[in-house]
Amino acid sequence: MTSPTQLPNEASAYLDDPRRKPLELDIEGHHGPAIFRWATRLMEHLIATILVALIVSVSANVIGRSLFNRSLPWADELARMLFIWLIFVGAAAAFARYEHIAVDFLVRRLKPRAAYLVYLLQHLIIATLMGIVVWGGYLVMSRSTGRTAILGVPWNLINISLVLCSLFIVAVALWRAWQCLRLIRDPDLVNRTAGD
């Protein structure tokens, strides 16, 4: 029978991957490029602001419908725009903090060099796919001249969230790919990071 005090240690074996440490941006511990750390902090503050604005917008519409029997059409449009920004900024911030869901069963059982080779491939694929998204977003923005129906907000103000957040993900993925190359080429560095 295991005691409750042993459970967190067992859980941490599944949550913490010591080989991933050199690839992580530690916002509080000042690990990783400063520009990525600052951008992540800024995105987290932006997420909080957007979330508050989204709650206010949706609540105003619910109160308008329930109490005054009047819908606020601008509130729905604003909520949609805010939600789009929330999705893309949230995805970029989660990527920076390595918080997206991942199946690392195989990677944990590989030798360090092989694990970093898998991480390298992973981040090159991510950078490529996000590069395609950036290009597609640029094409959409270059051809879009419309505005939203009620508030008259330019669609490009909404579309730019996709391009900016994808560019950030490309940059972080390329930095992680570079870190993987360093860890693959320098066996001593691989051993030091595996022991951390």
Side-chain angles (χ1 to χ4, degrees):
M1 180 109 185
T2 59
S3 70
T5 57
Q6 291 175 337
L7 291 177
N9 292 335
E10 291 174 9
S12 68
Y14 295 101
L15 297 174
D16 298 329
D17 183 3
R19 289 187 206 145
R20 203 177 73 187
K21 282 271 189 237
L23 306 178
E24 291 179 356
L25 290 174
D26 185 1
I27 311 304
E28 292 77 23
H30 305 294
H31 175 70
I35 187 86
F36 295 157
R37 289 184 279 118
W38 295 334
T40 304
R41 285 276 187 176
L42 180 66
M43 285 188 290
E44 290 170 346
H45 290 295
L46 183 59
I47 288 167
T49 304
I50 291 172
L51 193 56
V52 168
L54 187 59
I55 291 169
V56 168
S57 173
V58 171
S59 298
N61 204 16
V62 168
I63 291 170
R65 285 181 185 160
S66 301
L67 297 180
F68 305 112
N69 203 21
R70 277 194 90 186
S71 179
L72 303 172
W74 61 266
D76 281 338
E77 192 172 277
L78 179 63
R80 262 185 249 115
M81 291 185 291
L82 292 172
F83 192 63
I84 291 168
W85 269 89
L86 186 66
I87 288 168
F88 292 124
V89 175
F95 184 77
R97 288 206 179 251
Y98 235 123
E99 292 178 347
H100 284 288
I101 295 172
V103 178
D104 58 358
F105 179 78
L106 172 67
V107 178
R108 286 173 181 266
R109 280 152 181 70
L110 294 174
K111 293 190 185 296
R113 279 189 182 200
Y116 288 120
L117 191 60
V118 171
Y119 281 132
L120 172 64
L121 181 63
Q122 170 193 11
H123 286 95
L124 289 177
I125 290 170
I126 289 170
T128 302
L129 291 175
M130 287 296 108
I132 292 168
V133 169
V134 168
W135 177 248
Y138 166 75
L139 290 178
V140 167
M141 287 180 60
S142 66
R143 296 175 184 159
S144 176
T145 57
R147 294 180 171 271
T148 60
I150 297 167
L151 294 174
V153 176
W155 275 107
N156 282 341
L157 187 60
I158 301 161
N159 296 334
I160 196 152
S161 63
L162 169 69
V163 174
L164 291 176
C165 294
S166 297
L167 276 172
F168 178 77
I169 291 172
V170 167
V172 173
L174 290 176
W175 173 76
R176 287 182 177 152
W178 174 250
Q179 292 298 100
C180 289
L181 280 174
R182 288 181 55 233
L183 291 162
I184 290 167
R185 287 189 305 194
D186 186 358
D188 295 332
L189 190 56
V190 170
N191 293 334
R192 285 197 303 271
T193 56
D196 288 344

